[in-house]
Amino acid sequence: MITLSELHEHNYSIQTKCFPQNNVIQLKVCPVKMVSYKLLTPEDVYFTAPVPVPAEETDEQKHSSSRLCCKNKSSSTSTAFIALATFLFVVCCVWLIGTIFWLKNPGRQLPHRPPSPSPAVENREGGSGQSPEKCNAIPETHRFDCFPERQPIVTRELCEVRGCCFIQASAVPSPGKDGVPWCFYPPDFPSYTLDSLNDTELGYIGKLIRKQKTYYPRDIESLQLSVMYETDSRLHIKMTDATSTRFEVPISVPNATKKAASPGYSVEFSKEPFGLIVKRTSTGTVLINTTVAPLFFADQFLQMSTTLSSQYIYGLGEHRAGFLHSVQWNTLTFWARDVPPTELTNLYGVHPFYLGLEPGGLAHGVFLLNSNAMDVVLQPTPALTWRTIGGILDIYIFIGPDPSSVVQQYTEVVGLPSMPPFWALGFHLCRWGYQTSNATWQVVKGMRNYGIPQDAQWNDIDYMDGFRDFTTEPEKFATLPEMVKDLHDHGQRYVMILDPGISSTQPPGSYWPYDEGLKRGIFINDSDGNTLIGKVWPGLTAFPDFSNPETHQWWYETLQKFYEKVPFDGLWIDMNEPSNFEDGSLKGCPSNELENPPYTPGILGNVLRAKTVCASAVQKTSVHYNMHSLYGLMEAMASASALRRMGKRPFIISRSTFPSQGRYSGHWLGDNRSQWKDLYVSIPGMLNFNLLGIPLVGADICGFGGSTTEELCVRWMQLGAFYPFSRNHNTNNEQAQDPTDPMFSPLARTAMKEVLLLRYSLFPLLYTLFHHAHLQGHTVARPLLFEFPEDVMTYSIDRQFLWGRSLLVTPVLEPGVNSVIGYFPKGLWYDYYTGTSLKSSGEKVKLEAPLGKINLYLREGAVIPTQTPNTTLWSSNGNPLHLIVTLSEKGLAEGDLFWDDGESLDTYETNSYAYIVFNVSENTFTSTVLHENIEATYIMVETVSFFGVKDQPTNVTVDSKETPFTYLKNKVLTVSNLSLNLSKGFTIHWS
C-alpha cells in the first residue's frame, strides 16, 4: 500500500471524483510535471513519467452499478432515504476532499505557518511570483536552492525577483530539515534548450540555447555540448561557450580517438529543458540525471544538479569529516586554503571527484575537472549540485562497476601515482623547534641508541636563515652538512621544508633566488604588471609562478645550488595554497569582478583573496582566479622534475593538492592537533586521499599543535605505523614527542619501537602495494567497502581499514580502554600474531587491546610477504623473507612480491625489477618468478607459515625433498630454515 505522503514524495498529484450513484470515490494519481522530457535518442523518442493505469472494475461492481441504473420505480419513503443517503454521502465527499488537500498542504494548518503571501512581485522578466500550489507540490527533499548566497538572508521579495518559490522554514527546524532552502526553483524555471544534436566519431556534439536570461550577469546564451564515449567504462561530457574560448584546467588527460565499442552506460537527452540522463546498461540504474534543476552557465556562475543513485557518497576532498559524506543539506566548499583542519571549511586541497554506491554494491564515479572556487551541495533527494564560478563544465563519469575499478579509471584520467623510493616507506621524524642542527642530530643518535627504526630526519623552517628558502642559519645550523653526511653513512635520508614565498627585501645581489627570479620574470604579477608582494615567514615575499616553464628551470637551478651545500634527499613543500599573511598583496587588490564575483562560494574569509594572493593577479597561464587551487600541484610538478634531473626517484610531500597530484607527490593531512578526535579523523583523511589517487599520505603522528600525552602518542604511533606515509611531527614551543623523549616511560617507548619494527617487517607487502598503485591505480590503505561492496555494514566504517585486500587494521582510538570493537566481514580471518582463526558471518567482535598492542588480522586466501626488520630499510634490505599463507575454506591462497633496487628511476618501465607470484591449491605452495632481476638474487626465503591447515600433516616436502616442520593446535603449519633464493621458483607440499 502506498500512502498519500509517499505519492507526493514521488511527484504525483491527486485528483478526486465522487460518484454517488455507486458509492465510489475515485482517486486518479497523476505525475506532477517537474520537467518536460523530450529525450532525444537516434529515434527521437519521447519519455514521460509513468501514469498508473486504473484497475478494471470487477464483475460484481459492474453488476451493482447496472442494478442501480436500471431501477425505474421507487416509493416516496425509499426516495426520502435515497435523498438522505445522497446528502450524507456528499458531505462525506466534501470532508474527504478537504482531508486530502490538508494532507497535501499540511503547512497551511500548522500554528506556526509562514505569513500569508504578499501580492506577487514582478520578476526579472516581468512575470509574477510563483503560485503557492505549484511551490508546495515540490517535496522539501527535492528543493534546489535558488538563492545560494550567504548574505543577505533571503526574503520573499528577493526570492520572487528571481522567479523562484519561497517557503520559509519553521523557526525551530526539525531533524533532517536544517538546511532546506527557503527559496527554490519552480518546475518551469527557464533553462537551456537542446537546439541540435549530431553524431561524431566519439559520440555526439550538440548546441544548447538559452532563451531567457538568469539573475546572474553575462549568461552564455549558446553552449557547445560534447558527449564522448571514450572507453567502455568512461564517458566524457563537456559544456563550454560555443563562440568564445574559456579557461580549461591545464593538466594532461587521455585523448580518445575512437568511440567505445561496448559501453557499459547509455545516455539520454532531455530537449527542453535540457538535461542528461546516464544509466548503467546492465541494471538500468540512473547514475546522473541533470533534469532535476535548471542548468546555469554565466561567465562567473556555472551550476548543474543531478540525482544520486544512493545516499552513499565518498571523495570530494579536502575536508575534515567522516569517510562517508552526509547528504543532509551538506555544502562542501573548494578553494585551497591555509587553515588547520576544521569541520565545514575549505582546506588545503581541491578534489571535485566523488565515488557513489548503487543498490547491490555496484559503484561509479563522477569527476568535474574545474579549478575555480566552487560549492558542492549534497541534499537528501539524494542529489548533488556542482556550483562553480569559472571555467567550463568538464565532466568524466566512471562506470566501475566496483569501487576499486572506479579509482583505477579515475587515475587513468588524472595520472597514476608515482612509485616512491623505498626509504619513503620507513619512519620519518621531524619537529619545528629543534633550534639547532646539533639538537636535531642528537635526536637521530638517540633513536639509534634505543634501536628504534628511522629512515629519514627532517627539518622545519628553523633551519633557514631568517626563514629564507635555500639558506641555512649560519651559527645554529652550522653542522647541518655534517649531520646529513652522517645520516647517509648510516643508510638514512634528509628532507627539508621549502615554502614558495621568496624573500624580496634583501639588498640587490645578496640573495640569488630573488635576484635571478626577478631577472627572469618568473614571479606572479599584480594586475598592473608589477611583481606582487605579499608577506610570509621571511617577511615581504614574491611568489614564483609555477605555471611558467621558465620557473621550473629557475627552481631546478636553485635546488641544485642548495644541494651542493646540503645534499638533501627529498622535499617538503608547504604553504603552497599559496599562503599569504596579507589578504591579497601588500598594496591590496583592485575592486573588480575577479576580486568580487557575482557569487562567492562559502570559503573561509568570505573573499577569494583571504590569506592568499589577489584573484586578479596575473600568471603565465591565466589569472590567479582560475589558477589558485592549482598552485600546489604545479609546484610539485616543478619539484619532481628537478629531482628527476638530479637523478633521484622523487620523494615530495605537499600540503596543497589537486587531481593528478599523485603523479608527483604525496600529502600529509596538515596542522592537526594532539587530540583524540584528530587521531580518529586521520583515518577517513587517509582513506579519502587513497580514493583520490594520492596513496602516499599520512597525518602528523601524535599531533602537530598542542602537547601530547603518553597514552595518546603510543596509540597514535600504533596507528601511524600503518599510514602509508609515516611521520611524527610537532610544533614549536610544545612538549617533544619523538620516541626518545624522557616524557615516555620504558613501557611506552618499547611499544613504539615494536610497532615500528612491525611496520618494517611488513615492508615487502607495503612496497608491492605501492607498485600496484603505480601500475594500476590501486589503493594502498583501503576502506573495507572496497573489498566488501555488497556488505552494507562496511559503507560507513572509517575506524578500521585494510592494507591492500588482506591486512585488517583495528586501532584503539579512545583513551583509557584496553579493548576495541572491530567489524569482521563475512569470511575467515586470522590473528596476524598467532594464526588463530576467526570465522565471521559479518559481525562485530570485541578484541583485547592493551597499551602495547594494535590488532591486526589477515583475510583468508592471501600470501603476505614479510621480512626480518632492522632499524633502517637499507639495513633490512638483504634480510630473509618470511611468508604468511592464510588458507581459505577451500585451501586456496595467492599473493605476489615486487622487488627492485628501491631508488632508480622508472625501474618497472625499464624492466629493472623482479616480480614473483605465490599460489596455493591442493596442499601445494608454488613460488613462480614472472620477471627476473639481480636484486632478487640477494634475498632468501627463510620461513613459510600456513594458517588454517585443517589436518596435521605427516609429511612436508620442499621441491620434492622431505623437510622438518611444526604444526600447532591452532592449525598453523610452519616450515623453517628454508634458505630458498627468491630468484628461483620453488614448491612446498604437505600431506
Side-chain angles (χ1 to χ4, degrees):
M1 177 179 290
I2 187 166
T3 66
L4 294 174
S5 61
E6 288 173 328
L7 290 172
H8 291 307
E9 287 176 0
H10 290 83
N11 303 329
Y12 288 96
S13 65
I14 302 172
Q15 299 174 4
T16 310
K17 293 183 180 179
C18 292
F19 296 92
Q21 70 272 21
N22 59 2
N23 295 346
V24 172
I25 299 175
Q26 179 176 317
L27 299 181
K28 185 178 181 182
V29 183
C30 303
V32 174
K33 187 178 180 183
M34 296 297 291
V35 295
S36 300
Y37 284 97
K38 183 183 180 186
L39 301 184
L40 299 182
T41 64
E43 295 79 22
D44 197 20
V45 179
Y46 288 77
F47 288 72
T48 59
V51 179
V53 179
E56 295 184 2
E57 291 182 311
T58 64
D59 290 340
E60 185 179 41
Q61 288 172 323
K62 291 178 181 178
H63 182 59
S64 173
S65 177
S66 175
R67 285 200 307 256
L68 288 170
C69 290
C70 292
K71 284 193 175 183
N72 296 320
K73 298 180 181 180
S74 61
S75 66
S76 59
T77 303
S78 298
T79 301
F81 275 113
I82 291 172
L84 178 60
T86 301
F87 172 76
L88 292 174
F89 184 73
V90 169
V91 171
C92 290
C93 284
V94 171
W95 173 82
L96 183 57
I97 291 170
T99 300
I100 290 171
F101 277 96
W102 180 86
L103 288 170
K104 184 177 180 181
N105 300 296
R108 300 178 184 179
Q109 305 299 322
L110 295 175
H112 300 291
R113 64 182 183 273
S116 300
S118 58
V121 178
E122 294 298 308
N123 65 23
R124 298 180 73 250
E125 301 299 327
S128 62
Q130 299 295 328
S131 68
E133 291 77 14
K134 181 165 54 177
C135 296
N136 279 318
I138 301 175
E140 288 184 342
T141 58
H142 290 63
R143 295 176 183 174
F144 291 84
D145 198 349
C146 179
F147 202 97
E149 290 82 359
R150 287 149 182 85
Q151 293 293 333
I153 296 175
V154 64
T155 64
R156 179 178 297 278
E157 289 71 25
L158 288 172
C159 180
E160 291 184 347
V161 162
R162 295 187 171 188
C164 290
C165 297
F166 183 84
I167 300 178
Q168 186 172 339
S170 169
V172 183
S174 57
K177 294 188 177 183
D178 187 14
V180 177
W182 297 2
C183 182
F184 53 95
Y185 299 110
D188 56 356
F189 192 92
S191 184
Y192 284 87
T193 298
L194 180 58
D195 186 63
S196 65
L197 188 67
N198 298 300
D199 291 336
T200 66
E201 291 184 356
L202 287 176
Y204 299 103
I205 189 167
K207 185 177 182 181
L208 308 180
I209 300 296
R210 175 171 281 284
K211 300 174 183 177
Q212 290 182 267
K213 292 185 179 297
T214 68
Y215 44 85
Y216 287 110
R218 298 185 302 283
D219 284 299
I220 309 298
E221 296 180 359
S222 178
L223 300 179
Q224 177 176 295
L225 167 71
S226 299
V227 179
M228 294 160 279
Y229 296 61
E230 293 192 339
T231 72
D232 289 346
S233 58
R234 184 176 78 231
L235 176 67
H236 187 188
I237 299 169
K238 289 180 73 171
M239 299 178 214
T240 188
D241 192 330
T243 59
S244 301
T245 301
R246 291 179 63 81
F247 174 78
E248 298 187 29
V249 178
I251 66 171
S252 176
V253 295
N255 184 23
T257 57
K258 62 180 182 179
K259 185 177 180 179
S262 302
Y265 48 86
S266 64
V267 183
E268 298 166 358
F269 303 88
S270 168
K271 180 177 181 179
E272 187 171 14
F274 166 73
L276 287 162
I277 301 174
V278 179
K279 297 180 179 178
R280 183 182 298 280
T281 53
S282 61
T283 62
T285 300
V286 174
L287 307 183
I288 69 168
N289 177 358
T290 71
T291 68
V292 293
L295 170 67
F296 282 72
F297 204 121
D299 185 38
Q300 291 181 274
F301 187 88
L302 291 72
Q303 180 173 281
M304 185 180 71
S305 300
T306 176
T307 57
L308 299 171
S309 57
S310 78
Q311 72 270 35
Y312 299 109
I313 182 170
Y314 310 85
L316 298 173
E318 180 177 11
H319 297 92
R320 178 179 164 108
F323 184 54
L324 172 64
H325 285 295
S326 168
V327 296
Q328 295 300 316
W329 306 107
N330 181 17
T331 298
L332 304 170
T333 300
F334 297 76
W335 181 251
R337 171 63 194 246
D338 172 8
V339 60
T342 307
E343 285 81 0
L344 305 175
T345 304
N346 52 300
L347 301 182
Y348 313 109
V350 167
H351 295 270
F353 164 72
Y354 73 80
L355 182 148
L357 292 182
E358 304 160 35
L362 297 180
H364 66 276
V366 179
F367 171 41
L368 174 59
L369 181 51
N370 184 292
S371 60
N372 291 92
M374 76 171 73
D375 285 332
V376 174
V377 182
L378 301 173
Q379 64 187 72
T381 317
L384 175 147
T385 296
W386 303 102
R387 185 184 299 137
T388 184
I389 63 172
I392 67 171
L393 295 177
D394 191 358
I395 301 163
Y396 290 86
I397 301 169
F398 309 103
I399 305 301
D402 58 87
S404 292
S405 298
V406 171
V407 174
Q408 289 178 258
Q409 292 153 16
Y410 171 66
T411 55
E412 286 174 2
V413 169
V414 301
L416 294 163
S418 62
M419 186 69 186
F422 77 97
W423 58 268
L425 306 185
F427 179 63
H428 301 245
L429 194 55
C430 181
R431 79 163 300 176
W432 177 20
Y434 286 127
Q435 303 299 338
T436 69
S437 53
N438 284 339
T440 310
W441 203 346
Q442 282 303 117
V443 172
V444 174
K445 292 176 180 178
M447 294 286 283
R448 292 175 192 160
N449 291 338
Y450 280 110
I452 301 174
Q454 182 191 4
D455 262 78
Q457 180 62 51
W458 298 38
N459 275 123
D460 208 315
I461 58 175
D462 46 339
Y463 81 89
M464 300 176 184
D465 185 9
F467 301 133
R468 294 186 296 275
D469 282 346
F470 310 110
T471 67
T472 58
E473 210 288 329
E475 296 181 3
K476 295 180 179 179
F477 280 82
T479 60
L480 182 59
E482 288 77 14
M483 185 195 81
V484 173
K485 182 180 184 302
D486 178 66
L487 288 169
H488 292 164
D489 289 344
H490 286 82
Q492 295 171 300
R493 302 300 192 274
Y494 179 69
V495 180
M496 82 287 185
I497 194 171
L498 288 175
D499 294 338
I502 300 297
S503 175
S504 62
T505 59
Q506 309 312 303
S510 65
Y511 185 45
W512 192 89
Y514 179 71
D515 293 336
E516 190 66 17
L518 200 62
K519 176 182 175 182
R520 300 189 192 187
I522 58 89
F523 295 118
I524 294 176
N525 289 332
D526 61 24
S527 56
D528 294 327
N530 302 313
T531 300
L532 185 146
I533 300 299
K535 186 178 182 181
V536 201
W537 292 112
L540 302 184
T541 56
F543 298 87
D545 175 9
F546 289 104
S547 75
N548 185 349
E550 182 60 31
T551 308
H552 289 221
Q553 177 64 25
W554 165 86
W555 190 245
Y556 162 69
E557 292 177 20
T558 311
L559 284 168
Q560 184 69 49
K561 286 178 177 292
F562 187 73
Y563 183 83
E564 292 171 0
K565 301 175 183 177
V566 180
F568 58 87
D569 299 283
L571 296 175
W572 173 19
I573 51 177
D574 191 12
M575 305 288 287
N576 54 353
E577 292 72 32
S579 179
N580 183 4
F581 297 166
E582 298 282 343
D583 284 353
S585 78
L586 196 64
K587 64 178 186 180
C589 303
S591 179
N592 58 30
E593 290 173 338
L594 294 178
E595 300 296 340
N596 305 294
Y599 174 79
T600 301
I603 60 178
L604 181 64
N606 302 315
V607 291
L608 298 178
R609 61 186 173 273
K611 210 171 181 183
T612 190
V613 303
C614 299
S616 56
V618 179
Q619 298 186 229
K620 178 74 172 180
T621 301
S622 185
V623 290
H624 195 72
Y625 181 91
N626 295 322
M627 300 293 294
H628 170 79
S629 293
L630 294 164
Y631 196 89
L633 168 64
M634 293 190 166
E635 185 187 13
M637 293 170 67
S639 301
S641 173
L643 291 180
R644 290 180 69 89
R645 291 174 67 180
M646 294 164 67
K648 292 181 175 292
R649 187 186 295 186
F651 172 74
I652 301 163
I653 295 296
S654 175
R655 189 168 74 178
S656 187
T657 59
F658 191 82
S660 80
Q661 191 90 25
R663 297 176 62 182
Y664 310 102
S665 83
H667 172 63
W668 98 103
L669 297 174
D671 296 341
N672 61 1
R673 296 189 61 79
S674 299
Q675 297 175 354
W676 287 92
K677 183 175 182 180
D678 290 68
L679 173 65
Y680 152 65
V681 295
S682 70
I683 300 178
M686 170 185 65
L687 296 178
N688 210 29
F689 273 92
N690 271 264
L691 183 152
L692 298 171
I694 309 174
L696 187 63
V697 61
D700 282 347
I701 295 172
C702 300
F704 174 74
S707 290
T708 190
T709 65
E710 178 172 280
E711 182 188 12
L712 174 61
C713 201
V714 169
R715 293 303 192 188
W716 212 323
M717 286 288 289
Q718 290 170 342
L719 171 58
F722 291 90
Y723 294 155
F725 166 59
S726 181
R727 181 187 70 164
N728 181 316
H729 176 49
N730 71 324
T731 190
N732 200 12
N733 299 320
E734 296 287 356
Q735 171 65 50
Q737 60 192 34
D738 64 83
T740 68
D741 192 82
M743 77 165 285
F744 296 117
S745 66
L747 177 64
R749 188 174 298 111
T750 298
M752 295 178 183
K753 174 180 176 179
E754 288 180 349
V755 78
L756 289 177
L757 288 170
L758 177 58
R759 176 187 176 89
Y760 277 48
S761 71
L762 288 163
F763 169 76
L765 169 64
L766 184 59
Y767 197 63
T768 301
L769 291 175
F770 269 96
H771 165 69
H772 289 301
H774 172 61
L775 189 62
Q776 299 155 319
H778 288 180
T779 53
V780 174
R782 189 170 301 173
L784 273 70
L785 73 89
F786 272 48
E787 291 296 323
F788 304 93
E790 296 180 359
D791 184 349
V792 178
M793 290 293 294
T794 66
Y795 290 4
S796 60
I797 290 178
D798 57 10
R799 301 175 74 89
Q800 297 172 272
F801 58 95
L802 295 158
W803 265 13
R805 66 178 302 274
S806 301
L807 179 63
L808 177 62
V809 183
T810 306
V812 171
L813 304 174
E814 297 172 348
V817 300
N818 57 14
S819 64
V820 63
I821 303 295
Y823 180 75
F824 288 81
K826 184 178 180 180
L828 197 58
W829 298 86
Y830 295 93
D831 186 316
Y832 175 84
Y833 304 103
T834 66
T836 300
S837 64
L838 186 160
K839 189 172 184 179
S840 175
S841 60
E843 57 200 271
K844 294 181 179 179
V845 179
K846 184 177 181 180
L847 306 170
E848 295 302 314
L851 186 61
K853 179 182 180 181
I854 182 169
N855 276 278
L856 303 178
Y857 276 78
L858 296 173
R859 184 181 177 187
E860 63 178 310
V863 179
I864 306 296
T866 72
Q867 187 173 35
T868 301
N870 212 323
T871 54
T872 67
L873 291 174
W874 177 80
S875 60
S876 301
N877 188 47
N879 287 354
L881 296 183
H882 307 275
L883 306 181
I884 301 174
V885 180
T886 59
L887 297 175
S888 69
E889 289 280 8
K890 296 181 179 179
L892 304 176
E894 61 182 9
D896 61 349
L897 174 64
F898 176 85
W899 205 257
D900 63 7
D901 67 9
E903 292 185 291
S904 298
L905 293 168
D906 305 322
T907 57
Y908 177 79
E909 291 76 6
T910 58
N911 292 315
S912 302
Y913 68 94
Y915 184 63
I916 299 96
V917 296
F918 310 111
N919 285 281
V920 181
S921 64
E922 298 180 351
N923 296 357
T924 301
F925 173 96
T926 304
S927 174
T928 306
V929 180
L930 294 187
H931 197 279
E932 297 180 358
N933 182 263
I934 191 172
E935 294 297 328
T937 64
Y938 306 136
I939 307 299
M940 307 298 286
V941 177
E942 189 68 17
T943 304
V944 181
S945 295
F946 299 88
F947 294 177
V949 177
K950 296 178 181 179
D951 300 313
Q952 181 169 351
T954 58
N955 177 265
V956 175
T957 60
V958 178
D959 289 337
S960 301
K961 295 181 181 179
E962 191 170 339
T963 190
F965 64 92
T966 61
Y967 183 79
L968 303 178
K969 292 181 180 180
N970 62 349
K971 303 184 184 305
V972 174
L973 167 66
T974 302
V975 187
S976 304
N977 302 316
L978 293 172
S979 298
L980 297 169
N981 196 288
L982 183 64
S983 65
K984 297 179 181 179
F986 63 90
T987 61
I988 300 175
H989 179 77
W990 68 93
S991 58

